[in-house]
């Protein structure tokens, strides 16, 4: 996500930071580029203009240009302003001390309210709450059935319409149902309609008078263009919006909507939808998003994901082995499996600083999921003895392995060569004082960044 | 539900509807032009503001700059001095982007197979419902293949729409193989001698390679039954989508060779300028536009009417030569 914006911004920054001195003209030109980058990323044109003006003012003021590293200072200013634009602090759901907490979802049709409803319910349950969903979209054909299905699949109770009652009444009854079932969070899924539709706005207002809403969340498709601001303003003016859920961020959305929301209505993004599965909803963290946009990686998210998917003890043991050079093929496959459980390789590399450049440079040489599976197949076609002592692998064994894994001898050769290279490199790395301490780690990071993925020894075609 | 053919007045009605609703869509653009640009000199600031107006209408930076480049050339060559004439020249340039493309649906084959694809929530199911109604109104029999087996209750939604328009539905269990649904539907259509088969597919982001591959598979299944099908592969895009629409169109086009675009939700305040960028960059014509939630609210795209609405208030009085 946000790749286009990220790419264009890093081009601008490269040209700015490549020089020791910067003139006012350099800043002007650079900021024009930043503005175009934002516009191309669908950031609202007014927001883009205001943003660039703020950055420019800060760049030209204070002693930025006189400093020793003006380029880096400018990157920092842009980063700060991006964080501010994205909403500053992370915002959480407003759980009430007096349950139930009532959350109202509003938005255009097709923005993803019904899916978000289920995702949000699961998110609250992960935080230890008992959610109930109210199907109050009586407008779109089969919308309640969709919610009912999602509820059934995830064991979340759903208050269904009865074909007679109007949405405001359905919401009120949903609340009663929640009390009866002892649920402390109620999420209201309403009909999506254009923000200029008076009938829908009236319906939302009626819901608001009928039940006390604690959090009104506007669901916005991340791919929305210039229109995002108009939609958000209209909903905010008519029904009042407390926060935003940005959906479909797993595509190549350019981030315009994300960057325009706070500025347009002063309300932060609370959650982002990042996949088709109901578990794929993440709390929105402005700082992380900003560094991702600036191509500085998102190491924090990477670490969190690693913690969720990788067994710490196992990983440490593997690291020890790796550095001591006693790393076997089995360990390698295990590492690869754990790495893959964290998601696609490109995504993981993309979270490292400079990782995306690495991916891009590798281009077609970037190992695909298929390549990784093939690698695993090759190793699994070896006997345990072969795995711990790859030096015994001669011609006929290699032929057998190629046959067994459905690959060619050339693939097997490539893998063995790559494994050997990696072992040598890691031994060298471990030998020089290990990776303990800040310096060691920094050095390792540098060396890792200098790595070419196509040299990882994976059987790449 | 209704069996009667669509009479002529009906067609006129949508014209009024289109300009009425697009009027809303164009309000921002037209107002911006009227309030600021018409009273100005043709200087750099004029072009800057015009660029911003085009970008605000989602035309995109590249397309907008290209259009203004052409406009500047014309202004120089034709010695244009009045902003109004310059704006009309711009409108002509925009019309030229749209021109010369055949926007009619190719439905002569029997059965004619129409496949709807698009990202999640763009309006595929609704568009199929409306299209089925329209085709039924023209006296064609329709069969709908409910091949969105992924989204919960998508099949139920399709059934309700089909019932409204009087089309038949072929569906399988949720979570089934979309290819199998399509195969069955085509066999049924051939057996029943249906005029049209409309294929509803699950929404998918164009960045999901495996889901795009699934679509190609569905297409191949269609070809196995009817080699020259699908006759129409339409990408459904919602008007509020920004520059991402171009990325969507490009990827879907590369995978499936699109024959047209359906632009939905144009009855809001969004300008849908992305279609200009799509036609300029990819040459895929916009064939249908969705202008509302009613079953009748699907129309053939008329670039002239679209631009008239966008430029409402400009050059309404004849220009002195």
């Amino acid at each position: 996500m946000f790749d286009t914006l990220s790419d264009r911004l890093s081009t601008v920054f490269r040209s700015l930071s490549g020089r020791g001195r910067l003139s006012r003209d350099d800043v002007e030109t650079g900021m024009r580029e930043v503005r175009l980058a934002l516009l191309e990323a669908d950031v609202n044109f007014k927001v883009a203009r205001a943003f660039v003006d703020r950055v420019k003012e800060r760049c030209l003021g204070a002693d930025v240009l006189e400093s020793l590293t003006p380029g880096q200072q400018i990157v920092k200013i842009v980063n700060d302003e991006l964080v501010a634009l994205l909403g500053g602090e992370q915002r959480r759901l407003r759980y009430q001390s007096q349950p139930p907490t009532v959350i109202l979802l509003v938005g255009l049709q097709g923005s993803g309210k019904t899916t978000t409803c289920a995702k949000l319910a699961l998110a609250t349950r992960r935080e230890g709450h008992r959610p109930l969903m109210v199907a109050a979209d009586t407008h779109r054909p089969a919308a309640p059935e969709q919610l009912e299905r999602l509820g059934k699949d995830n064991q979340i109770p759903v208050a269904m319409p009865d074909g007679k009652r109007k949405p405001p009444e359905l919401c009120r009854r949903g609340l009663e149902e929640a009390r009866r079932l002892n649920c402390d969070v109620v999420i209201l899924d309403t009909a999506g309609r254009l923000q200029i539709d008076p009938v829908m706005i009236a319906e939302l207002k009626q819901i608001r008078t009928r039940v006390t809403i604690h959090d009104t969340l506007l669901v916005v498709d991340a791919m929305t263009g210039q229109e995002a601001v108009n939609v958000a303003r209209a909903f905010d003016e008519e029904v009042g919006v407390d926060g935003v859920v940005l959906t479909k961020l797993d595509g190549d959305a350019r981030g315009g909507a994300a960057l325009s929301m706070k500025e347009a209505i002063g309300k932060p993004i609370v959650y982002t939808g990042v996949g088709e599965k109901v578990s794929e909803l993440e709390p929105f963290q402005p700082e992380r998003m900003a560094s991702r946009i600036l191509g500085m990686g998102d190491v924090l998210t990477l670490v969190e994901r690693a913690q969720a998917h990788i067994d710490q003890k196992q990983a440490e043991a593997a690291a020890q082995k790796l550095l001591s050079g006693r790393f076997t093929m089995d360990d390698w496959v295990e590492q690869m499996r754990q790495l893959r459980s964290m998601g696609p390789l490109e995504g993981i590399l993309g979270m490292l600083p400079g990782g995306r450049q690495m991916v891009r440079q590798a281009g077609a040489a970037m190992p695909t999921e298929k390549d990784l599976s093939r690698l695993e197949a090759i190793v699994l076609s070896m006997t345990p003895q072969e795995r711990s002592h790859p030096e015994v692998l001669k011609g006929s064994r290699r032929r057998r392995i190629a046959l067994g894994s459905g690959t060619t001898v050339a693939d097997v050769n490539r893998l063995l060569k790559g494994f050997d290279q990696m072992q040598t490199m890691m031994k060298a790395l471990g030998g020089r004082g290990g990776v303990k301490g800040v310096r060691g780690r920094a050095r390792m990071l540098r060396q890792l960044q200098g790595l070419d993925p196509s040299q990882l020894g994976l059987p790449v075609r | 539900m209704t069996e009667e053919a669509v009479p002529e007045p009906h067609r006129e009605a949508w014209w009024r509807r289109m300009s009425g609703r697009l009027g809303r869509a164009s309000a921002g653009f037209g107002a911006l032009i009227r309030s600021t640009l018409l009273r100005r000199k043709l200087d750099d600031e004029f072009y800057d503001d015009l660029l911003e107006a085009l970008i605000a209408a989602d035309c995109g930076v590249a397309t907008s700059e290209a259009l203004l480049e052409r406009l500047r050339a014309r202004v120089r060559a034709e010695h244009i001095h009045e902003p109004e004439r310059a704006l009309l020249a711009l409108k002509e340039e925009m019309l030229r982007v749209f021109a010369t493309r055949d926007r009619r649906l190719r439905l002569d084959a029997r059965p004619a197979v129409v496949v709807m694809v698009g990202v999640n929530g763009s309006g595929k199911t609704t568009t199929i419902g409306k299209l089925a109604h329209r085709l039924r109104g023209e006296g064609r029999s329709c069969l709908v293949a409910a091949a969105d087996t992924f989204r919960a209750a998508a099949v139920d939604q399709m059934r309700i729409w089909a019932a409204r328009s009087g089309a038949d539905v072929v569906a399988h269990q949720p979570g089934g193989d979309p290819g199998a649904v399509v195969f069955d539907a085509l066999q049924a259509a051939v057996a029943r001698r249906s005029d049209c088969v409309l294929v509803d597919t699950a929404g998918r982001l164009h960045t999901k390679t495996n889901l795009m591959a699934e679509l190609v598979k569905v297409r191949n299944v269609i070809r196995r039954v009817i080699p020259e099908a699908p006759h129409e592969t339409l990408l459904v895009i919602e008007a509020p989508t920004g520059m991402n629409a171009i990325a969507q169109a490009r990827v879907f086009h590369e995978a499936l060779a699109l024959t047209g675009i359906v632009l939905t939700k144009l009855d809001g305040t969004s300008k849908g300028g992305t279609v200009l960028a799509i036609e300029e960059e990819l040459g895929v014509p916009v064939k249908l536009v969705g202008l509302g939630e009613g079953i009748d609210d699907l129309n053939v795209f008329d670039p002239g009417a679209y631009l008239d609405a966008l430029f409402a208030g400009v050059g309404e009085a004849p220009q002195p030569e």
Side-chain angles (χ1 to χ4, degrees):
Chain A
M1 72 188 118
F2 298 176
D3 287 0
T4 327
L5 178 58
S6 196
D7 287 351
R8 290 208 49 167
L9 285 181
S10 53
T11 315
V12 178
F13 293 145
R14 252 202 307 281
S15 75
L16 281 180
S17 53
R19 277 172 274 172
R21 292 203 77 90
L22 287 179
S23 67
R24 287 181 78 94
D25 276 356
D26 293 335
V27 175
E28 292 278 350
T29 326
M31 287 308 122
R32 193 187 136 74
E33 290 294 317
V34 169
R35 182 166 152 241
L36 284 179
L38 292 172
L39 286 175
E40 226 158 57
D42 282 331
V43 173
N44 182 270
F45 67 98
K46 285 181 187 152
V47 175
R49 202 196 290 161
F51 176 83
V52 166
D53 284 349
R54 274 198 304 271
V55 172
K56 205 157 43 181
E57 199 180 314
R58 282 184 62 184
C59 288
L60 297 177
D63 336 302
V64 174
L65 295 185
E66 275 74 49
S67 77
L68 285 173
T69 51
Q72 282 174 28
Q73 302 262 0
I74 291 176
V75 175
K76 187 181 175 305
I77 292 173
V78 173
N79 184 48
D80 290 352
E81 290 292 336
L82 266 182
V83 173
L85 196 62
L86 286 166
E89 296 277 294
Q90 187 189 344
R91 145 96 150 77
R92 292 172 195 284
L93 284 177
R94 296 177 182 160
Y95 292 118
Q96 300 296 301
S97 50
Q98 189 92 164
T101 303
V102 184
I103 301 166
L104 175 68
L105 296 181
V106 300
L108 298 185
Q109 63 273 67
S111 56
K113 281 177 301 305
T114 307
T115 307
T116 300
C117 188
K119 287 183 173 183
L120 203 57
L122 278 182
T124 63
R125 195 163 69 188
R126 278 199 296 271
E127 291 174 20
H129 294 270
R130 290 172 50 85
L132 173 132
M133 307 190 284
V134 180
D137 178 358
T138 53
H139 186 81
R140 179 163 62 89
E145 284 78 4
Q146 185 183 350
L147 197 65
E148 190 181 31
R149 183 78 250 162
L150 290 167
K152 204 174 270 170
D153 290 347
N154 300 289
Q155 291 88 46
I156 304 162
V158 180
M160 290 289 285
D162 54 6
K164 296 194 296 278
R165 293 186 174 81
K166 291 252 167 11
E169 180 60 16
L170 290 172
C171 291
R172 198 189 59 75
R173 293 176 74 91
L175 242 66
E176 279 172 14
E177 182 77 0
R179 288 199 188 94
R180 197 177 64 77
L181 294 173
N182 200 18
C183 294
D184 62 350
V185 173
V186 179
I187 308 172
L188 310 173
D189 180 30
T190 62
R193 231 74 84 64
L194 294 166
Q195 78 276 16
I196 44 172
D197 188 320
V199 180
M200 180 212 60
I201 296 293
E203 188 181 289
L204 285 177
K205 282 180 175 163
Q206 272 172 25
I207 292 176
R208 296 213 64 149
T209 53
R210 237 16 207 292
V211 295
T212 311
I213 308 286
H214 303 108
D215 226 339
T216 304
L217 300 180
L218 175 69
V219 181
V220 180
D221 183 334
M223 292 177 287
T224 315
Q226 297 287 327
E227 185 61 8
V229 166
N230 299 336
V231 172
R233 282 219 184 100
F235 273 103
D236 192 35
E237 275 162 25
E238 294 289 347
V239 290
V241 170
D242 301 314
V244 175
V245 179
L246 209 58
T247 59
K248 306 178 206 171
L249 257 183
D250 45 332
D252 55 356
R254 287 148 187 249
L259 288 164
S260 308
M261 276 304 137
K262 179 74 196 285
E263 183 99 350
I265 56 171
K267 305 292 158 56
I269 297 165
V270 188
Y271 280 101
T272 53
V274 291
E276 297 202 326
K277 286 192 222 102
V278 273
S279 60
E280 293 173 310
L281 187 78
E282 285 180 357
F284 183 74
Q285 290 163 323
E287 281 174 31
R288 297 185 186 186
M289 193 54 84
S291 43
R292 232 191 261 191
I293 292 175
L294 291 182
M296 305 198 294
D298 184 359
V299 181
L300 283 177
T301 302
L302 184 62
V303 169
E304 270 176 14
R305 241 200 246 180
Q307 278 168 347
H309 288 98
I310 292 181
D311 182 340
Q312 179 95 28
K313 278 204 193 105
Q314 244 181 356
E316 267 168 27
Q320 276 306 318
K321 275 191 190 168
L322 190 65
L323 294 171
S324 62
R326 280 183 285 113
F327 196 65
T328 66
M329 294 252 172
D330 273 325
D331 297 326
W332 194 18
V333 165
E334 185 49 42
Q335 287 283 291
M336 209 59 81
R337 277 192 193 144
Q338 295 207 349
L339 190 70
R340 289 175 72 189
S341 70
M342 287 166 60
L345 192 59
E346 274 182 59
I348 299 172
L349 284 177
M351 284 189 230
L352 285 171
R356 286 187 349 85
Q357 258 106 320
M358 209 158 100
V359 172
R360 199 153 351 103
Q361 272 162 18
M366 183 74 199
T368 64
E369 292 292 307
K370 225 182 184 160
D371 292 327
L372 296 181
S373 301
R374 205 176 288 134
L375 165 118
E376 207 176 309
I378 294 177
V379 177
L380 291 180
S381 299
M382 299 177 187
T383 65
Q385 195 227 347
E386 285 166 350
R387 287 183 217 174
S388 44
H389 300 283
E391 59 276 6
V392 303
L393 290 169
K394 295 287 180 299
S396 96
R397 283 181 192 250
R398 290 186 189 197
R399 255 197 311 281
R400 191 204 76 235
I401 291 165
L403 254 152
S405 55
T407 56
T408 63
V409 175
D411 288 332
V412 179
N413 288 343
R414 236 190 327 261
L415 174 132
L416 289 171
K417 197 171 153 215
F419 183 75
D420 191 47
Q421 276 174 359
M422 189 185 69
Q423 250 186 341
T424 319
M425 194 180 77
M426 287 299 168
K427 234 183 270 177
L429 207 63
R432 270 182 283 150
V435 285
K436 289 244 158 68
V438 179
R439 270 206 199 152
R441 242 171 257 146
R443 192 177 62 233
M444 179 145 167
L445 199 64
R446 260 200 314 280
Q447 280 174 329
L448 279 176
Q449 278 174 27
L451 257 182
D452 176 354
S454 60
Q455 295 299 303
L456 281 177
L458 304 176
V460 172
R461 276 158 202 267
Chain B
M1 273 180 271
T2 54
E3 286 287 320
E4 65 221 61
V6 183
E8 212 44 36
H10 200 129
R11 291 188 181 270
E12 262 184 23
W14 81 254
W15 271 109
R16 251 182 288 127
R17 269 211 309 273
M18 178 148 175
S19 55
R21 291 183 196 184
L22 269 176
R24 206 153 47 190
S26 66
F29 188 75
L32 191 65
I33 287 183
R34 274 194 304 279
S35 63
T36 64
L37 294 173
L38 279 180
R39 305 189 206 119
R40 292 274 274 294
K41 276 191 303 195
L42 294 183
D43 50 13
D44 280 351
E45 213 177 309
F46 173 87
Y47 287 109
D48 264 0
D49 286 353
L50 197 52
L51 179 68
E52 220 153 62
L54 286 171
I55 288 171
D58 279 326
C59 295
V61 176
T63 306
S64 303
E65 282 185 334
L67 275 172
L68 289 189
E69 203 52 52
R70 276 177 258 164
L71 176 63
R72 276 176 193 262
R74 270 191 68 175
V75 164
R76 268 195 306 274
E78 297 170 24
H79 305 289
I80 295 173
H81 299 292
E82 305 84 13
E84 182 140 33
R85 276 188 59 198
L87 289 172
L88 286 178
L90 174 67
K91 189 175 163 187
E92 280 170 30
E93 288 302 321
M94 289 166 89
L95 191 60
R96 196 168 295 173
V97 173
F98 284 125
T100 66
R101 290 203 181 91
D102 191 357
R103 294 171 197 284
R104 282 168 304 184
L105 292 181
R106 288 173 294 186
L107 300 172
D108 299 329
R110 196 158 171 236
V113 181
V114 181
V115 180
M116 290 285 171
V117 297
V119 301
N120 319 59
S122 54
K124 288 172 295 301
T125 307
T126 307
T127 301
I128 291 219
K130 291 176 181 175
L131 184 59
H133 177 73
R134 197 183 163 91
L135 295 174
R136 295 278 298 136
E138 290 169 6
R140 297 176 207 252
S141 58
C142 281
L143 190 137
V144 174
D148 180 355
T149 54
F150 180 79
R151 180 163 62 90
V155 173
D156 298 323
Q157 186 181 353
M158 195 67 258
R159 277 189 205 283
I160 295 171
W161 272 109
R164 284 180 191 171
S165 58
D168 295 338
V169 178
V170 170
H172 284 189
Q173 288 302 308
D177 174 26
V181 179
V182 170
F183 187 82
D184 280 1
L186 289 180
Q187 300 246 300
V190 171
R192 297 179 205 174
R193 308 185 67 74
S194 308
D195 294 322
C196 306
V197 183
L198 309 180
V199 180
D200 185 26
T201 61
R204 64 203 70 217
L205 292 176
H206 51 291
T207 49
K208 311 259 157 136
T209 326
N210 51 341
L211 293 179
M212 294 305 290
E214 183 190 80
L215 271 188
V216 174
K217 184 194 152 196
V218 167
R219 200 255 328 259
N220 293 342
V221 168
I222 294 174
R223 287 204 176 144
R224 212 174 308 143
V225 185
I226 304 171
E228 58 276 13
H231 306 89
E232 288 284 355
T233 307
L234 303 175
L235 173 66
V236 183
I237 293 178
E238 52 167 10
T241 309
M243 286 302 97
N244 194 255
I246 299 170
Q248 290 172 22
R250 185 171 292 132
V251 178
F252 276 101
H253 192 44
E254 273 165 17
L256 301 166
L258 300 173
T259 59
I261 307 272
V262 182
L263 188 66
T264 59
K265 307 176 197 176
L266 199 55
D267 49 331
T269 53
S270 49
K271 325 290 178 291
T274 36
V275 294
L276 199 78
I278 292 173
E279 293 219 357
E280 165 117 341
E281 281 196 31
L282 301 175
V284 179
V286 179
K287 291 197 167 170
L288 300 168
V289 288
L291 288 169
E293 300 182 26
I295 197 163
D296 293 317
D297 297 324
L298 182 75
N299 302 117
V300 175
F301 178 63
D302 181 331
Y306 172 70
L307 289 177
D308 282 347
L310 209 55
F311 281 84
V314 179
E316 239 124 63
Q319 284 293 301
E321 269 306 303

